[in-house]
């Protein structure tokens, strides 16, 4: 769907987007596309998740567990490594799942990040 729109827009005449009204029209066209709204929503939820999780780690390591600087840095590095492993390990499965259905591309990441 998105690829078809991209091919069609390439074939159309190029419009001068230097004026504010032309830029506003282009922005409205982008926002009216449901795939752009989906990707923006997913990116927003992922950004919130990526902001909250490290903050919680720093809070717990500093105030709840009362670790000193060296110990806190060590466990922060270990936690970052483990998060990276847990993010990358299921990547082949997610690639297969999202290749089969574009509607799952919206609902699965949002539901998993909210849980």
């Amino acid at each position: 769907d998105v690829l078809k729109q991209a091919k069609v827009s390439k074939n159309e005449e190029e419009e001068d987007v230097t004026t504010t009204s032309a830029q506003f029209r282009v922005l409205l066209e982008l926002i009216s596309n449901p795939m752009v709204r989906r990707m923006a929503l997913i990116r927003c939820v992922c950004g919130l998740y990526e902001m909250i999780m490290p903050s919680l780690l720093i809070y717990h390591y500093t105030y709840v567990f009362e670790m000193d600087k060296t110990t806190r840095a060590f466990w922060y590095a270990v936690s970052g490594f483990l998060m990276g492993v847990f993010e990358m390990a299921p990547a082949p499965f997610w690639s297969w799942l999202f290749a089969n259905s574009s509607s799952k591309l919206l609902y699965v990441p949002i539901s998993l990040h909210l849980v």
Side-chain angles (χ1 to χ4, degrees), residues 5-7 10 17 39 57-58 63 66 81-83 98:
Q5 290 177 358
K7 289 178 183 176
K10 278 185 180 179
V17 291
M39 294 308 294
L57 278 177
I58 292 172
Y63 299 109
E66 298 177 354
F81 175 76
L82 289 175
M83 281 188 220
F98 296 145

Side-chain angles (χ1 to χ4, degrees), residues 57-77:
L57 278 177
I58 292 172
Y59 171 78
H60 277 85
Y61 289 166
T62 305
Y63 299 109
V64 176
F65 299 133
E66 298 177 354
M67 296 180 178
D68 62 350
K69 288 181 184 179
T70 309
T71 308
R72 186 171 57 233
F74 170 75
W75 283 108
Y76 196 63

Side-chain angles (χ1 to χ4, degrees), residues 27-51:
L27 179 63
L28 287 178
E29 286 178 27
L30 288 174
I31 293 173
S32 66
N33 187 340
M35 291 301 275
V36 171
R37 287 192 305 250
R38 281 185 184 180
M39 294 308 294
L41 179 63
I42 290 171
R43 193 60 230 144
C44 180
V45 172
C46 289
L48 288 172
Y49 169 79
E50 292 166 359
M51 178 181 63

